[in-house]
Amino acid sequence: MRRLAVIITVLILSAWGALQLSRSTTFMIAGEAIARVETNAPVIALTFDDGPSPRFLGDVLTTLNEHGTVATFFLVGQDVVAHPELVTQIADGGHELGNHSYSHPRLVLMSPSRVAAEIETTDQSLRNAGYTGAIPFRPPYGKKLVILPFYLARNERPAIMWDVAPEDDPALAGDADAITDFVLKEARSGSIILLHPMYDSGAATRAALPAILSGLTARGFEFVTVSELLDLRAP
Ligand SMILES: [Zn+2]
């Protein structure tokens, strides 16, 4: 009986540990997870997840354009197929497009062939939409455990994570001023900021965006794409 209790406890702790690892922004069992880069340059990568959705993309692009800022948009393949014209619109603004999987599943308990298909179909959908630039990859929900890391390692592709994510805190998520304050306090050289401005739920984030861009610019930071940030890594 006692032995059974020990086994059950070990199993529960292992499952809990695996869940924590799958969420970690810095650890991956194989390959590389990048939450921030070490750099001497005052540069920051602003990243937006999900979509593209026609409803709010125009607002976001206008704000970026007004501030002369570039960003990286991690897009969902099935939404790219539904709105290829939005891909052109984003790329024409000088922004980078990333791969955020095809159907936004948790790429955790999934066969290797399905993981590969989720990623490769999305790359292809971006190319079909006419995008020719580099395509960084970010796992949906930031989740990765075993299959995905080995796939990424084999393809020499890092998992792009983040070190500044104000919407993760429910106390900040609906409050534009709180989001702005958090980002201005937490962002530093080499940071990767994660925001979700693409849907109704992103109203506070969209409202915060102009103050985030002006505030970080006033502090001397320059915005770069994820690929540019990786190139600026200190040797
Ligand atoms: Zn997402």
Side-chain angles (χ1 to χ4, degrees), residues 145-163:
L145 198 54
V146 180
I147 305 291
L148 176 62
F150 282 105
Y151 173 87
L152 294 175
R154 205 165 51 241
N155 289 278
E156 296 179 2
R157 207 165 177 180
I160 305 299
M161 308 297 283
W162 54 85
D163 68 327

Side-chain angles (χ1 to χ4, degrees), residues 193-213:
I193 301 173
L194 165 63
L195 295 170
H196 293 79
M198 217 51 97
Y199 295 99
D200 283 332
S201 57
T205 294
R206 288 190 294 280
L209 198 51
I212 290 174
L213 300 180

Side-chain angles (χ1 to χ4, degrees), residues 2 38 47 61 74 80 85 106 132 153 206 224 230-231:
R2 179 170 293 172
E38 286 302 331
T47 67
L61 290 176
F74 286 95
V80 167
E85 74 286 357
R106 288 178 168 75
T132 56
R206 288 190 294 280
V224 294
L230 298 185
D231 287 343

Side-chain angles (χ1 to χ4, degrees), residues 49-50 100 104 140-141 196:
D49 276 16
D50 306 339
H100 195 40
H104 207 278
Y141 311 102
H196 293 79

